[in-house]
mmCIF file of all heavy atoms in Angstrom:
data_model
loop_
_atom_site.group_PDB
_atom_site.id
_atom_site.type_symbol
_atom_site.label_atom_id
_atom_site.label_comp_id
_atom_site.label_asym_id
_atom_site.label_seq_id
_atom_site.Cartn_x
_atom_site.Cartn_y
_atom_site.Cartn_z
ATOM 1 N N MET A 3 95.438 100.501 84.067
ATOM 2 C CA MET A 3 94.974 101.657 83.395
ATOM 3 C C MET A 3 95.650 102.940 83.909
ATOM 4 O O MET A 3 95.432 103.290 84.989
ATOM 5 C CB MET A 3 93.464 101.764 83.421
ATOM 6 C CG MET A 3 92.864 102.786 82.475
ATOM 7 S SD MET A 3 91.045 102.884 82.645
ATOM 8 C CE MET A 3 90.522 101.209 82.141
ATOM 9 N N PRO A 4 96.389 103.647 83.022
ATOM 10 C CA PRO A 4 96.978 104.872 83.613
ATOM 11 C C PRO A 4 95.993 105.977 84.029
ATOM 12 O O PRO A 4 94.942 106.046 83.395
ATOM 13 C CB PRO A 4 97.837 105.307 82.415
ATOM 14 C CG PRO A 4 97.957 104.218 81.432
ATOM 15 C CD PRO A 4 96.718 103.288 81.697
ATOM 16 N N ASN A 5 96.354 106.707 85.037
ATOM 17 C CA ASN A 5 95.510 107.731 85.561
ATOM 18 C C ASN A 5 94.246 107.326 86.257
ATOM 19 O O ASN A 5 93.534 108.172 86.798
ATOM 20 C CB ASN A 5 95.102 108.801 84.492
ATOM 21 C CG ASN A 5 96.357 109.417 83.846
ATOM 22 O OD1 ASN A 5 97.285 109.721 84.427
ATOM 23 N ND2 ASN A 5 96.240 109.636 82.609
ATOM 24 N N TYR A 6 93.986 106.059 86.219
ATOM 25 C CA TYR A 6 92.789 105.534 86.947
ATOM 26 C C TYR A 6 93.059 104.468 87.998
ATOM 27 O O TYR A 6 92.630 104.638 89.146
ATOM 28 C CB TYR A 6 91.842 104.968 85.858
ATOM 29 C CG TYR A 6 91.051 106.059 85.047
ATOM 30 C CD1 TYR A 6 91.645 106.488 83.867
ATOM 31 C CD2 TYR A 6 89.869 106.609 85.457
ATOM 32 C CE1 TYR A 6 90.971 107.496 83.168
ATOM 33 C CE2 TYR A 6 89.215 107.535 84.764
ATOM 34 C CZ TYR A 6 89.795 108.036 83.555
ATOM 35 O OH TYR A 6 89.151 108.991 82.903
ATOM 36 N N PHE A 7 93.731 103.468 87.642
ATOM 37 C CA PHE A 7 93.939 102.273 88.524
ATOM 38 C C PHE A 7 95.390 101.800 88.782
ATOM 39 O O PHE A 7 95.643 101.037 89.707
ATOM 40 C CB PHE A 7 93.148 101.064 88.076
ATOM 41 C CG PHE A 7 91.712 101.337 87.874
ATOM 42 C CD1 PHE A 7 91.092 101.584 86.690
ATOM 43 C CD2 PHE A 7 90.799 101.393 88.997
ATOM 44 C CE1 PHE A 7 89.747 101.820 86.581
ATOM 45 C CE2 PHE A 7 89.540 101.642 88.920
ATOM 46 C CZ PHE A 7 88.950 101.847 87.680
ATOM 47 N N ASP A 8 96.326 102.187 87.963
ATOM 48 C CA ASP A 8 97.670 101.634 88.061
ATOM 49 C C ASP A 8 98.393 101.970 89.344
ATOM 50 O O ASP A 8 99.290 101.305 89.720
ATOM 51 C CB ASP A 8 98.549 102.129 86.852
ATOM 52 C CG ASP A 8 98.653 103.603 86.711
ATOM 53 O OD1 ASP A 8 97.767 104.421 87.189
ATOM 54 O OD2 ASP A 8 99.727 104.066 86.211
ATOM 55 N N GLU A 9 98.044 103.037 89.954
ATOM 56 C CA GLU A 9 98.765 103.409 91.281
ATOM 57 C C GLU A 9 98.008 102.915 92.578
ATOM 58 O O GLU A 9 98.357 103.284 93.623
ATOM 59 C CB GLU A 9 98.904 104.912 91.345
ATOM 60 C CG GLU A 9 99.820 105.453 90.232
ATOM 61 C CD GLU A 9 100.006 106.990 90.300
ATOM 62 O OE1 GLU A 9 99.377 107.545 91.228
ATOM 63 O OE2 GLU A 9 100.828 107.522 89.507
ATOM 64 N N TYR A 10 96.939 102.108 92.347
ATOM 65 C CA TYR A 10 96.178 101.744 93.553
ATOM 66 C C TYR A 10 96.176 100.175 93.666
ATOM 67 O O TYR A 10 96.280 99.464 92.663
ATOM 68 C CB TYR A 10 94.681 102.184 93.390
ATOM 69 C CG TYR A 10 94.530 103.676 93.323
ATOM 70 C CD1 TYR A 10 94.670 104.369 92.083
ATOM 71 C CD2 TYR A 10 94.220 104.348 94.454
ATOM 72 C CE1 TYR A 10 94.512 105.727 92.044
ATOM 73 C CE2 TYR A 10 94.016 105.786 94.368
ATOM 74 C CZ TYR A 10 94.154 106.375 93.121
ATOM 75 O OH TYR A 10 94.024 107.842 93.097
ATOM 76 N N ASN A 11 95.875 99.796 94.869
ATOM 77 C CA ASN A 11 95.440 98.348 95.081
ATOM 78 C C ASN A 11 94.099 98.186 94.576
ATOM 79 O O ASN A 11 93.164 98.771 95.116
ATOM 80 C CB ASN A 11 95.625 97.867 96.552
ATOM 81 C CG ASN A 11 97.115 97.812 96.970
ATOM 82 O OD1 ASN A 11 97.990 97.562 96.173
ATOM 83 N ND2 ASN A 11 97.317 98.060 98.218
ATOM 84 N N THR A 12 93.898 97.452 93.513
ATOM 85 C CA THR A 12 92.624 97.317 92.870
ATOM 86 C C THR A 12 92.092 95.937 92.769
ATOM 87 O O THR A 12 92.883 94.984 92.447
ATOM 88 C CB THR A 12 92.685 97.826 91.429
ATOM 89 O OG1 THR A 12 93.154 99.196 91.466
ATOM 90 C CG2 THR A 12 91.372 97.830 90.650
ATOM 91 N N THR A 13 90.845 95.776 93.116
ATOM 92 C CA THR A 13 90.273 94.338 93.037
ATOM 93 C C THR A 13 89.257 94.489 91.908
ATOM 94 O O THR A 13 88.562 95.459 91.718
ATOM 95 C CB THR A 13 89.583 93.926 94.265
ATOM 96 O OG1 THR A 13 88.531 94.810 94.609
ATOM 97 C CG2 THR A 13 90.545 93.866 95.508
ATOM 98 N N VAL A 14 89.133 93.362 91.091
ATOM 99 C CA VAL A 14 88.107 93.194 90.061
ATOM 100 C C VAL A 14 87.326 91.946 90.360
ATOM 101 O O VAL A 14 87.925 90.895 90.334
ATOM 102 C CB VAL A 14 88.808 93.099 88.689
ATOM 103 C CG1 VAL A 14 87.713 92.957 87.580
ATOM 104 C CG2 VAL A 14 89.666 94.386 88.378
ATOM 105 N N THR A 15 86.045 92.100 90.548
ATOM 106 C CA THR A 15 85.088 90.963 90.813
ATOM 107 C C THR A 15 84.173 90.772 89.780
ATOM 108 O O THR A 15 83.416 91.785 89.386
ATOM 109 C CB THR A 15 84.351 91.209 92.198
ATOM 110 O OG1 THR A 15 85.247 91.352 93.178
ATOM 111 C CG2 THR A 15 83.487 90.070 92.512
ATOM 112 N N PHE A 16 84.078 89.662 89.147
ATOM 113 C CA PHE A 16 83.138 89.416 88.081
ATOM 114 C C PHE A 16 81.913 88.758 88.612
ATOM 115 O O PHE A 16 81.925 88.045 89.582
ATOM 116 C CB PHE A 16 83.798 88.463 86.993
ATOM 117 C CG PHE A 16 84.911 89.041 86.242
ATOM 118 C CD1 PHE A 16 86.253 88.851 86.651
ATOM 119 C CD2 PHE A 16 84.710 89.839 85.165
ATOM 120 C CE1 PHE A 16 87.234 89.398 86.027
ATOM 121 C CE2 PHE A 16 85.718 90.380 84.472
ATOM 122 C CZ PHE A 16 87.053 90.242 84.881
ATOM 123 N N MET A 17 80.776 89.162 88.017
ATOM 124 C CA MET A 17 79.522 88.653 88.564
ATOM 125 C C MET A 17 78.472 88.593 87.446
ATOM 126 O O MET A 17 78.603 89.145 86.369
ATOM 127 C CB MET A 17 79.026 89.557 89.698
ATOM 128 C CG MET A 17 78.855 91.015 89.296
ATOM 129 S SD MET A 17 78.951 92.134 90.818
ATOM 130 C CE MET A 17 77.917 91.225 92.049
ATOM 131 N N GLU A 18 77.408 87.962 87.754
ATOM 132 C CA GLU A 18 76.300 87.738 86.730
ATOM 133 C C GLU A 18 75.490 89.084 86.692
ATOM 134 O O GLU A 18 75.410 89.821 87.665
ATOM 135 C CB GLU A 18 75.380 86.572 87.154
ATOM 136 C CG GLU A 18 76.029 85.225 87.103
ATOM 137 C CD GLU A 18 76.604 84.912 85.740
ATOM 138 O OE1 GLU A 18 75.934 85.209 84.707
ATOM 139 O OE2 GLU A 18 77.741 84.334 85.598
ATOM 140 N N GLU A 19 74.928 89.265 85.577
ATOM 141 C CA GLU A 19 74.094 90.532 85.292
ATOM 142 C C GLU A 19 72.982 90.730 86.306
ATOM 143 O O GLU A 19 72.798 91.872 86.768
ATOM 144 C CB GLU A 19 73.600 90.528 83.916
ATOM 145 C CG GLU A 19 72.881 91.856 83.552
ATOM 146 C CD GLU A 19 72.439 91.826 82.089
ATOM 147 O OE1 GLU A 19 73.034 91.117 81.221
ATOM 148 O OE2 GLU A 19 71.459 92.606 81.761
ATOM 149 N N GLU A 20 72.282 89.681 86.612
ATOM 150 C CA GLU A 20 71.056 89.793 87.483
ATOM 151 C C GLU A 20 71.612 90.272 88.923
ATOM 152 O O GLU A 20 70.979 91.181 89.463
ATOM 153 C CB GLU A 20 70.440 88.436 87.687
ATOM 154 C CG GLU A 20 69.208 88.504 88.533
ATOM 155 C CD GLU A 20 68.439 87.211 88.538
ATOM 156 O OE1 GLU A 20 68.760 86.285 87.700
ATOM 157 O OE2 GLU A 20 67.556 87.111 89.383
ATOM 158 N N GLU A 21 72.644 89.704 89.370
ATOM 159 C CA GLU A 21 73.211 90.101 90.673
ATOM 160 C C GLU A 21 73.706 91.551 90.682
ATOM 161 O O GLU A 21 73.524 92.289 91.669
ATOM 162 C CB GLU A 21 74.344 89.140 91.137
ATOM 163 C CG GLU A 21 74.868 89.522 92.549
ATOM 164 C CD GLU A 21 76.048 88.676 92.902
ATOM 165 O OE1 GLU A 21 76.543 87.734 92.077
ATOM 166 O OE2 GLU A 21 76.601 88.776 94.030
ATOM 167 N N PHE A 22 74.445 91.863 89.611
ATOM 168 C CA PHE A 22 74.986 93.194 89.452
ATOM 169 C C PHE A 22 73.893 94.261 89.583
ATOM 170 O O PHE A 22 73.967 95.294 90.346
ATOM 171 C CB PHE A 22 75.671 93.272 88.123
ATOM 172 C CG PHE A 22 76.345 94.711 87.886
ATOM 173 C CD1 PHE A 22 77.661 94.945 88.252
ATOM 174 C CD2 PHE A 22 75.635 95.699 87.277
ATOM 175 C CE1 PHE A 22 78.176 96.131 88.038
ATOM 176 C CE2 PHE A 22 76.218 96.924 87.021
ATOM 177 C CZ PHE A 22 77.483 97.112 87.410
ATOM 178 N N LYS A 23 72.786 94.067 88.801
ATOM 179 C CA LYS A 23 71.726 95.004 88.795
ATOM 180 C C LYS A 23 71.002 95.078 90.138
ATOM 181 O O LYS A 23 70.444 96.185 90.493
ATOM 182 C CB LYS A 23 70.771 94.740 87.677
ATOM 183 C CG LYS A 23 71.286 94.904 86.280
ATOM 184 C CD LYS A 23 70.282 94.642 85.243
ATOM 185 C CE LYS A 23 70.851 95.057 83.828
ATOM 186 N NZ LYS A 23 69.905 94.640 82.678
ATOM 187 N N ALA A 24 70.971 93.993 90.851
ATOM 188 C CA ALA A 24 70.342 94.027 92.188
ATOM 189 C C ALA A 24 71.093 94.679 93.227
ATOM 190 O O ALA A 24 70.591 95.402 94.138
ATOM 191 C CB ALA A 24 69.959 92.624 92.623
ATOM 192 N N VAL A 25 72.333 94.567 93.186
ATOM 193 C CA VAL A 25 73.304 95.009 94.249
ATOM 194 C C VAL A 25 73.848 96.384 93.921
ATOM 195 O O VAL A 25 73.985 97.269 94.897
ATOM 196 C CB VAL A 25 74.495 94.044 94.523
ATOM 197 C CG1 VAL A 25 75.422 94.572 95.517
ATOM 198 C CG2 VAL A 25 73.867 92.684 94.994
ATOM 199 N N HIS A 26 74.236 96.679 92.716
ATOM 200 C CA HIS A 26 74.984 97.896 92.368
ATOM 201 C C HIS A 26 74.057 98.874 91.542
ATOM 202 O O HIS A 26 74.415 99.273 90.484
ATOM 203 C CB HIS A 26 76.229 97.524 91.616
ATOM 204 C CG HIS A 26 77.119 96.666 92.366
ATOM 205 N ND1 HIS A 26 77.848 96.986 93.431
ATOM 206 C CD2 HIS A 26 77.440 95.270 92.133
ATOM 207 C CE1 HIS A 26 78.587 96.031 93.884
ATOM 208 N NE2 HIS A 26 78.311 94.952 93.155
ATOM 209 N N ASN A 27 72.912 99.244 92.130
ATOM 210 C CA ASN A 27 71.923 100.129 91.477
ATOM 211 C C ASN A 27 71.916 101.535 92.087
ATOM 212 O O ASN A 27 70.943 102.183 91.652
ATOM 213 C CB ASN A 27 70.628 99.383 91.503
ATOM 214 C CG ASN A 27 70.107 99.108 92.889
ATOM 215 O OD1 ASN A 27 70.770 99.454 93.842
ATOM 216 N ND2 ASN A 27 68.979 98.372 92.956
ATOM 217 N N LYS A 28 72.763 101.859 92.930
ATOM 218 C CA LYS A 28 72.802 103.246 93.496
ATOM 219 C C LYS A 28 74.187 103.847 93.299
ATOM 220 O O LYS A 28 75.106 103.133 92.952
ATOM 221 C CB LYS A 28 72.449 103.191 94.894
ATOM 222 C CG LYS A 28 71.015 102.668 95.240
ATOM 223 C CD LYS A 28 70.684 102.691 96.686
ATOM 224 C CE LYS A 28 69.312 102.154 97.051
ATOM 225 N NZ LYS A 28 68.278 102.762 96.234
ATOM 226 N N MET A 29 74.238 105.108 93.439
ATOM 227 C CA MET A 29 75.507 105.887 93.192
ATOM 228 C C MET A 29 75.917 106.793 94.415
ATOM 229 O O MET A 29 76.018 107.992 94.199
ATOM 230 C CB MET A 29 75.480 106.603 91.832
ATOM 231 C CG MET A 29 75.149 105.723 90.694
ATOM 232 S SD MET A 29 75.410 106.593 89.125
ATOM 233 C CE MET A 29 77.141 106.608 89.036
ATOM 234 N N PRO A 30 76.111 106.174 95.537
ATOM 235 C CA PRO A 30 76.551 107.084 96.656
ATOM 236 C C PRO A 30 77.977 107.457 96.519
ATOM 237 O O PRO A 30 78.737 106.848 95.726
ATOM 238 C CB PRO A 30 76.380 106.113 97.848
ATOM 239 C CG PRO A 30 76.679 104.768 97.342
ATOM 240 C CD PRO A 30 76.128 104.832 95.920
ATOM 241 N N HIS A 31 78.412 108.531 97.173
ATOM 242 C CA HIS A 31 79.817 108.868 97.251
ATOM 243 C C HIS A 31 80.041 109.859 98.356
ATOM 244 O O HIS A 31 79.187 110.200 99.147
ATOM 245 C CB HIS A 31 80.358 109.430 95.894
ATOM 246 C CG HIS A 31 81.804 109.022 95.479
ATOM 247 N ND1 HIS A 31 82.745 108.769 96.494
ATOM 248 C CD2 HIS A 31 82.357 108.852 94.369
ATOM 249 C CE1 HIS A 31 83.861 108.415 95.946
ATOM 250 N NE2 HIS A 31 83.684 108.432 94.584
ATOM 251 N N GLY A 32 81.188 110.402 98.328
ATOM 252 C CA GLY A 32 81.620 111.429 99.357
ATOM 253 C C GLY A 32 83.187 111.478 99.514
ATOM 254 O O GLY A 32 83.890 110.898 98.705
ATOM 255 N N GLY A 33 83.562 112.065 100.639
ATOM 256 C CA GLY A 33 85.025 112.215 100.900
ATOM 257 C C GLY A 33 85.270 113.290 101.831
ATOM 258 O O GLY A 33 84.415 113.933 102.404
ATOM 259 N N PHE A 34 86.698 113.454 101.982
ATOM 260 C CA PHE A 34 87.196 114.412 102.934
ATOM 261 C C PHE A 34 88.360 115.203 102.300
ATOM 262 O O PHE A 34 89.177 114.645 101.552
ATOM 263 C CB PHE A 34 87.802 113.657 104.164
ATOM 264 C CG PHE A 34 86.822 112.682 104.748
ATOM 265 C CD1 PHE A 34 86.722 111.456 104.217
ATOM 266 C CD2 PHE A 34 86.019 113.081 105.879
ATOM 267 C CE1 PHE A 34 85.813 110.490 104.799
ATOM 268 C CE2 PHE A 34 85.221 112.135 106.468
ATOM 269 C CZ PHE A 34 85.112 110.867 105.887
ATOM 270 N N VAL A 35 88.383 116.488 102.586
ATOM 271 C CA VAL A 35 89.628 117.305 102.350
ATOM 272 C C VAL A 35 90.148 117.697 103.705
ATOM 273 O O VAL A 35 89.329 118.315 104.537
ATOM 274 C CB VAL A 35 89.354 118.534 101.479
ATOM 275 C CG1 VAL A 35 90.519 119.408 101.455
ATOM 276 C CG2 VAL A 35 88.965 118.191 100.100
ATOM 277 N N MET A 36 91.330 117.322 104.000
ATOM 278 C CA MET A 36 91.903 117.627 105.372
ATOM 279 C C MET A 36 93.218 118.366 105.193
ATOM 280 O O MET A 36 94.127 117.998 104.384
ATOM 281 C CB MET A 36 92.179 116.363 106.011
ATOM 282 C CG MET A 36 90.915 115.450 106.127
ATOM 283 S SD MET A 36 91.184 113.677 106.463
ATOM 284 C CE MET A 36 91.252 113.718 108.255
#
């Protein structure tokens, strides 16, 4: 996908809906400008 993933090492992991909702239910983030 241009402008999103094409320039990165990207992994895609498929999972069941129940596991997805249990594990990926928060939205943390952050970062650095140096």
Side-chain angles (χ1 to χ4, degrees):
M3 191 181 298
N5 300 323
Y6 284 90
F7 299 104
D8 60 331
E9 296 182 355
Y10 298 86
N11 289 332
T12 300
T13 63
V14 179
T15 301
F16 292 96
M17 56 203 317
E18 296 299 320
E19 182 175 337
E20 184 177 349
E21 181 186 4
F22 181 92
K23 290 182 176 179
V25 176
H26 302 291
N27 57 6
K28 298 185 184 298
M29 301 192 73
H31 216 329
F34 309 83
V35 173
M36 308 162 83

